[in-house]
Each structure stands twice: as C-alpha cells, then as structure tokens.
Amino acid sequence: MTIWRRNRSWLWPAFFIAPGIILFGIVIVGSSVQSLWISFFQWDGFDEMQWIGLGNYIEMLDDPQFYISLRNNIIWLAVFMLAPPLGLFFALLINQQIRGMRIVKSLFFMPLVMSQVAVGVVFTWFYDPSSGLLALFFEAMGATAPALLSDPRWVTLAVVFAALWPQVSFCVILFMAGLNNLDESQIEAARVDNARGWKMLWYVILPQLRQVNFIAIAVTVIGALRSFDMISVMTSGGPFGSSNVLAYQMYSQSIQAYRFGYGAAIASVLFAIMVVFISWYLWRMLRMEKEGA
Amino acid sequence: MSNLEISNISKCYEGREVLKNVGFKSSEKEFIVVVGPSGCGKSTLLKTIAGLTSVDAGRILIGEHDVTRSEPGDRDIAMVFQSYALYPHMTVAENMGFGLRMAGHPKQQIREAVEHAASILRITDYLDMRPKQLSGGQRQRVAIGRAITRSPAVFLFDEPLSNLDAALRTQMRVEIGQLYRRLDATMVYVTHDQVEAMTMATRIVLMNSGVIEQVGSPIELYTNPVNRFVAGFLGSPRMNFIEASVTEVNDDQIVVALEGLDDIRVARRHGVGVSRGDTVTLGIRPEEISVGRQRSHQLPARVELVEQLGREVIAYVDTGSIRAIESENGLGHLTIQVDRKSAMSRDDDIHIGFDAEDIYLFNADGMTMTPNRDTEKSPVHEVSEA
C-alpha cells in the first residue's frame, strides 16, 4: 500500500500511457523494424527467408520502375503543393458572410466525406474517353477526348488532379477553422491602422494562420508521399507502370509478385524519405511550442 | 470649431436598438468619458466613431469632415483596445509604426515617430521585444504608443484599463491623464468604471440602454443628476433611495412624509409636475447622512455592518421604519459614510440625521424634481491635477 502511495505520482500516468505505448510499439515501431529486417532477405512470403544483405537495394538502383515511381512521387508532391494555397483561397472566399454560403461550405465538405476509393471511381468515369463527362465536354467543342488514363504522358497528372480535389477541401477546412479563430480585435486594430485588402491579408491574417498553414503543408506532403488508394483504384500503376508510385510499387511487389524482400526495401526507402519531412515537422512543432510558451 | 461631432446616431443589431439617437459634440481637446452599465451601447458607440461598426442613421464629423461612411483608416483616429490587440508577430517598434507604414510614410519618419512616442511612454527599452515578452501594463503602453505614433485628431479608448490589476490601473489612469494634457487631441474613453469617469473626464457622457442620459462635467453630474439613474450610477457607495409620498405641494416647495420623521420640505424644480398623494423617490447620498443629533431630520438606527476603509467608514444601518430600495446589500439598510474617527461597531444604537436641503426627489418616471445646486458647494473635492 505504502509503495503505491509513495509512487502514485508517476504510476497513474504510466498506467494510462502504457496501452498507447504498447500498441504503438507493436504496430508501428515493431513492424517498421521487422520490415527493415525483411528488406535484407529474398523471400516469397512462404518459403525459407534467404539472406542477401543489401541485394534488394542494389537491385533497386538498377530498376527503371523504381525511378519512374520516385519521379511520380515528386510530381505528386509538386502538384499537391497547390492544395494549401488553393485551400486558403477557397476558405477566404467562402468565409464571406453571404446568404446561402452554408450550402457552398457543405459542398466543400463533400469530397472529405466520400472515401478516396469513391473519388477514384468517380474520376475514372469522368475521364472515360467514350462516355465520360470530359468526353462530352470535348465533343461539345468538336474535339475528341484524350484517353488520359491510358496515356503514359498524362496518366500521373490525371490521377494527381483527382487526388488534389479532396486534398484541397481538406485544406479549406483547416483554413476555415483557422479563420474562425482569428483575433477579431487585431483585425479591428489593423483596420484603424489603415491596412486593407492584400496588406491586411499579408501583415495581419496570414501571420495568425501560421500554425494552420504549417499543418496544411505537412499533412499535404505526407499525403502526397503515401499516395496509394487512388492509383490502386484508377490505374493499378499502369499503363506499363507509368503511374506507379513508391507506395503502390511496394504493395504490388510484395503482394502481387510475392517479392516481400524487395517490397520491404522499397518501403524502407520511402520511410527514409518520409523521415526527412517528419523530422522537419517535429522540429518546427517543438520550436513553435517553445515560442508559444 | 469642434473636432468631433456626433449627431443622431442609431444602430440596430438583429432588431434590437443598441443606439437610439445618440449625439454629442466636443470642442477642441476634450477628455470625454463615455460611461454606463454593461450593455448600454457605449462600446458600440465607440466602434461607430472608429468606423468599425456602420451606423443605420446619423452623422459623424471629425475635424469638420463627414466621416460617417469612411473607412476606419481614413478617419484620423487611433484606438486603444481592451485586449491591447497588438500584432504578436511584430516587435514593439513594428507594432507602433504599422499605421504609418500602411500609410506609406518613409522609414526614417516612422522611426522618429516611434521613438518619440516611446520616449513619452518610457518604453524605449522594449522597442525590439515582442508583445509576448511584455507584462500587461507594458503591453497597454505599447498599444497607447501605437495610437500616439499616428498623431490622430481623436483618440479612442475602449476600456483600456480593465485587464490590469488595481494598482497598475490607478497608475495608468494618472498616466493617461498626463498624456491627455500633453497631446493636442480629443480623447473619447469608454469605461464601466465610474471612478475612471469621475477622475479622468473633462466631460462625462452617461449612457443607459442605448440612450444618453446626461452629458456634463463630473461634478455637474454628481451634484445635479437629471434623473434617478444618473444619481444612482455615479457615486460609491451609491445614493440611498427611499420611497416617500407627497403630502403637500405649492409653487416652490414639495413636502414629503416619511414614517417617524418630521415633514421634509424641499425646493421644487421649476415646472416639474407633481401632485399631492404621488409616490416619489427620495434620494440622499451616504456622505450627507451624519451620526448625531445636529441635523434637521433625525431618527434612531442600529448599525448592522461596518466597513472600515481607513480614510472613511461606511456603515449599513437599519432604521426599522425606513427601508432603502435597491440598497447595496439588498436588505433595505441605509448606507452612511462618515469620518474614520467616528467609533462605531456592529449592533450599536445610534442616531442619524440629514438636512432637507441635501435631499433629491425623483418622480415616478425617475426625473429629478429638486432644483439644481451650486456645484462649488458640493462636498466632493475637485479632482486634483495629477
């Protein structure tokens, strides 16, 4: 009893934190380490694992598909960077007090409510060159619609733009929450100080949205790097692997080609890229918290 | 020439009239304190002067220009907010210079203006700090500095001291008073604190539920309130109100009766309508009631509570027959304020008294029925120059 009483100041917190730590340890840390371990083997998922050291990584360096996937990931990242500014733009637009704005606002929530798979399916139909909405549009203009999803030159961009839609509305919602939390009296002070339009936005509004802006960018970066579901639904990486990204290549190598070792190696590389961004994120987070204190 | 003129301003919020035909005029360089209970519309009035809130009707003139529809930045005003409203991502100097920067002034000129304002407020040492690193009082100084830097025609203060602790509040009150004497500008200062109103104002605008009840110098409002609301709002402890009935009326006198007291004969304000049998409210300030038998009207009382304030003593007494309405403690006790030397303690039986000439009478509508008094003879001392 006395042992409990003497130590309860740390026993209680430990008791409540333990489930989270255990779960995180097994599901995230454990499987990451295991994945890294597997990447040093040749393994089809059933037979004996065969140690090949850095073999998988060396193979990756010579794999043209790896570079296509990497390049596509960079395209995803670049195009996705449109999401935060577009989100801010729409958030400012629909933040106006105009009658009927509520309906418009709820329209912006739509793509978030829908699952990514549904968004992918809808866009696949939209792009359909024979009967899709895009085809009808082109027909009306007297042109023939390009088959975006089967053209290696366009397919990645077509998928990214489909994925951009929910990402933008996610940013819209982040920024809308931020705009709702603006310090009203600061804006009033700025109005008295004669700040208007762009100056008001630049000097007074944006600095207050810094935290939100940072979260929007971080979430968008991570969203671009882990893109998977849209590719799976819309193209399965095709045609000829031209819309593949690292996450999807990892999946198709492991699950479809029974090459768990190689898949794990791709996963490890993707993880390494992510770590860079996540470290930057955490570092900024900690710095912000320090400034806030 | 007047540099601030507000005429017949009205403002509705969702069907509720928060300002009804509000108007006042200020000649060059005045310290106007707008005071009233919360929700009386005083902050809305200030925001309409600032241009942060539009008006439904009426006109606002600043320095002879009609600014009723102008943007806040074009009105030649500066405002100090209750929450300071400093820009947290800018240094103190950037905060103070922001207005001039937005107006496109050259850097050198901005720096001079900032340094000048900073030296007036003694915040030169903080110019490179951020608001977060400052204390509440320092932040308020910066906010005032931001206003000074722009050297506007009218300064607007929105309850600037209510976030400060008591000691700092007194200090800042004095400083703002000094600042006012130093700057060549009119100040409009909104507060709910009657002490701030009494001590700082050259003129008080007393508001209640969207209308101006009375405008005048602090001593005028204190000595000659136009109605019961003004009489009750200014003065702490507040005026005692007692219900009484009129027993006799003639051209220049009203006689009211209170149980256990001789008839009270008071002068009648010219032209005020009152008749025999009317129920009226009798008002008397706590400092006009004295202990002892030397006054014209006396009655026995029992001391219920004594508040020793050092300089003076406030006592709540039960007179049995005479009950105060809306009394401070809700028990119908009369409040009296006497010299600190008067030894008094709970449950003492004493005699209290007052003179008929110190009585105010208010009719059923709350209007004052007694004539104006000479403000010079008032027992309240003129606010000394700080």
Side-chain angles (χ1 to χ4, degrees):
Chain A
M1 251 345 253
T2 48
I3 295 170
W4 173 254
R5 206 167 286 167
R6 207 170 297 153
N7 295 305
R8 65 182 160 188
S9 62
W10 67 269
L11 275 172
W12 273 119
F15 177 72
F16 282 112
I17 291 169
I21 289 197
I22 292 167
L23 213 63
F24 185 80
I26 295 171
V27 177
I28 308 288
V29 181
S31 41
S32 302
V33 172
Q34 198 185 9
S35 174
L36 188 67
W37 179 245
I38 292 170
S39 74
F40 299 120
F41 291 88
Q42 190 166 15
W43 186 37
D44 62 5
F46 306 101
D47 298 332
E48 277 295 289
M49 288 164 73
Q50 196 182 341
W51 176 269
I52 52 167
L54 290 175
N56 285 322
Y57 293 94
I58 292 161
E59 183 189 340
M60 204 187 302
L61 288 176
D62 285 329
D63 182 358
Q65 183 58 57
F66 169 74
Y67 292 103
I68 292 173
S69 300
L70 192 61
R71 190 205 61 187
N72 284 343
N73 262 125
I74 291 166
I75 293 175
W76 272 78
L77 198 58
V79 178
F80 256 41
M81 278 300 109
L82 291 173
L86 281 176
L88 176 62
F89 172 77
F90 286 119
L92 288 170
L93 202 69
I94 63 178
N95 202 39
Q96 314 291 324
Q97 303 234 341
I98 299 172
R99 192 202 276 269
M101 230 7 146
R102 276 206 190 148
I103 296 169
V104 180
K105 273 184 193 172
S106 57
L107 286 179
F108 273 88
F109 277 95
M110 266 267 287
L112 275 186
V113 180
M114 281 160 55
S115 88
Q116 296 266 305
V117 174
V119 173
V121 170
V122 167
F123 267 87
T124 311
W125 291 338
F126 175 76
Y127 290 140
D128 188 313
S130 54
S131 58
L133 207 58
L134 192 69
L136 292 178
F137 184 71
F138 268 83
E139 258 170 46
M141 309 271 283
T144 328
L148 288 176
L149 292 183
S150 43
D151 187 332
R153 285 170 304 171
W154 294 110
V155 63
T156 294
L157 280 178
V159 178
V160 180
F161 275 106
L164 194 61
W165 182 45
Q167 191 65 32
V168 168
S169 53
F170 183 66
C171 291
V172 169
I173 282 154
L174 281 179
F175 281 116
M176 254 167 47
L179 288 173
N180 277 332
N181 283 327
L182 290 182
D183 179 358
E184 193 65 39
S185 63
Q186 257 186 63
I187 294 172
E188 289 183 342
R191 285 181 63 194
V192 172
D193 272 339
N194 212 358
R196 284 170 214 178
W198 287 110
K199 282 180 175 173
M200 173 70 95
L201 182 68
W202 183 255
Y203 290 112
V204 182
I205 312 268
L206 281 184
Q208 289 190 63
L209 290 177
R210 218 178 60 155
Q211 294 246 17
V212 178
N213 196 23
F214 165 64
I215 292 170
I217 290 176
V219 169
T220 303
V221 167
I222 290 166
L225 289 178
R226 55 150 219 211
S227 52
F228 171 84
D229 27 21
M230 295 288 244
I231 293 157
S232 171
V233 171
M234 293 178 75
T235 65
S236 303
F240 321 116
S242 57
S243 65
N244 223 336
V245 293
L246 290 176
Y248 191 77
Q249 195 188 353
M250 163 196 89
Y251 162 81
S252 59
Q253 285 295 328
S254 314
I255 307 294
Q256 290 166 350
Y258 301 105
R259 301 189 62 205
F260 282 92
Y262 193 54
I266 295 171
S268 303
V269 170
L270 185 57
F271 179 73
I273 296 170
M274 289 256 205
V275 160
V276 174
F277 285 102
I278 290 168
S279 321
W280 167 77
Y281 181 86
L282 288 177
W283 178 71
R284 284 284 305 266
M285 261 305 240
L286 287 174
R287 213 184 56 173
M288 255 183 212
E289 263 172 30
K290 225 186 238 170
E291 276 178 11
Chain B
M1 185 179 143
S2 85
N3 63 351
L4 176 65
E5 186 177 341
I6 292 155
S7 37
N8 301 323
I9 283 186
S10 294
K11 176 73 189 173
C12 268
Y13 268 134
E14 288 158 5
R16 212 170 57 88
E17 255 192 315
V18 285
L19 292 178
K20 295 170 213 160
N21 263 327
V22 170
F24 64 86
K25 198 170 162 179
S26 134
S27 49
E28 204 78 33
K29 201 173 168 172
E30 267 201 279
F31 200 122
I32 294 173
V33 174
V34 182
V35 65
S38 55
C40 70
K42 55 189 191 296
S43 281
T44 309
L45 174 63
L46 197 73
K47 284 192 173 180
T48 59
I49 300 173
L52 296 168
T53 300
S54 64
V55 295
D56 297 335
R59 234 157 62 102
I60 301 167
L61 272 82
I62 293 173
E64 312 282 280
H65 298 290
D66 187 339
V67 295
T68 316
R69 305 267 165 247
S70 308
E71 281 291 308
D74 296 333
R75 292 189 176 208
D76 202 10
I77 50 140
M79 187 157 169
V80 178
F81 293 82
Q82 180 180 353
S83 60
Y84 321 132
L86 298 174
Y87 313 117
H89 53 283
M90 297 184 199
T91 64
V92 167
E94 285 168 341
N95 262 287
M96 289 168 64
F98 188 69
L100 294 181
R101 189 168 154 209
M102 288 299 107
H105 287 255
K107 271 193 181 148
Q108 177 64 24
Q109 196 184 332
I110 296 174
R111 226 188 58 206
E112 279 165 15
V114 167
E115 276 167 9
H116 177 66
S119 72
I120 292 177
L121 292 161
R122 299 191 306 279
I123 48 173
T124 311
D125 293 344
Y126 312 132
L127 282 180
D128 293 325
M129 290 196 193
R130 283 178 197 262
K132 226 179 314 195
Q133 295 165 279
L134 305 177
S135 69
Q138 292 166 337
R139 284 183 208 185
Q140 194 52 277
R141 279 220 176 80
V142 176
I144 295 170
R146 180 168 66 181
I148 294 175
T149 310
R150 304 185 55 217
S151 52
V154 179
F155 281 90
L156 306 173
F157 291 89
D158 187 10
E159 308 216 14
L161 306 185
S162 47
N163 282 359
L164 303 178
D165 62 58
L168 206 53
R169 203 178 304 163
T170 311
Q171 186 195 337
M172 285 302 286
R173 206 169 71 202
V174 174
E175 278 192 34
I176 292 176
Q178 284 171 330
L179 197 67
Y180 159 66
R181 277 183 284 281
R182 194 165 169 171
L183 298 172
D184 191 27
T186 288
M187 302 200 167
V188 182
Y189 186 107
V190 162
T191 181
H192 64 268
D193 182 354
Q194 52 139 329
V195 178
E196 282 173 28
M198 291 298 287
T199 53
M200 300 170 90
T202 56
R203 257 193 322 155
I204 291 178
V205 173
L206 206 157
M207 289 186 70
N208 184 31
S209 46
V211 295
I212 293 181
E213 297 278 1
Q214 194 172 0
V215 180
S217 75
I219 205 69
E220 248 173 77
L221 261 63
Y222 190 82
T223 322
N224 294 314
V226 294
N227 57 32
R228 196 174 129 188
F229 178 82
V230 177
F233 190 84
L234 291 178
S236 175
R238 63 200 291 264
M239 189 185 274
N240 292 294
F241 294 116
I242 303 157
E243 232 167 55
S245 61
V246 177
T247 54
E248 204 185 312
V249 178
N250 61 39
D251 277 352
D252 42 33
Q253 257 194 344
I254 305 171
V255 183
V256 293
L258 278 181
E259 210 186 311
L261 279 176
D262 295 339
D263 280 352
I264 304 167
R265 294 176 176 275
V266 292
R268 176 181 175 184
R269 179 186 285 259
H270 182 70
V272 69
V274 59
S275 45
R276 211 172 147 238
D278 281 0
T279 302
V280 294
T281 307
L282 182 152
I284 181 143
R285 295 219 180 261
E287 68 268 23
E288 306 290 7
I289 303 178
S290 58
V291 180
R293 295 173 181 271
Q294 68 274 34
R295 297 301 179 98
S296 67
H297 294 78
Q298 306 158 20
L299 68 161
R302 172 177 288 246
V303 179
E304 293 290 338
L305 181 69
V306 178
E307 288 177 346
Q308 176 60 258
L309 297 179
R311 185 160 39 107
E312 75 248 356
V313 175
I314 294 166
Y316 301 90
V317 301
D318 191 347
T319 59
S321 55
I322 295 170
R323 317 300 299 174
I325 46 178
E326 301 163 18
S327 72
E328 297 262 24
N329 61 5
L331 294 172
H333 296 161
L334 290 182
T335 313
I336 64 175
Q337 182 186 336
V338 290
D339 194 74
R340 68 163 165 187
K341 287 175 198 118
S342 41
M344 218 191 300
S345 50
R346 217 190 135 160
D347 290 339
D348 280 358
D349 286 313
I350 55 169
H351 268 83
I352 57 169
F354 57 85
D355 291 330
E357 62 183 43
D358 294 326
I359 294 289
Y360 296 87
L361 281 185
F362 307 100
N363 69 13
D365 297 329
M367 302 312 293
T368 307
M369 299 194 294
T370 37
N372 282 351
R373 294 139 211 228
D374 191 352
T375 53
E376 297 294 316
K377 277 188 197 154
S378 161
V380 176
H381 303 290
E382 193 77 51
V383 180
S384 57
E385 296 277 301

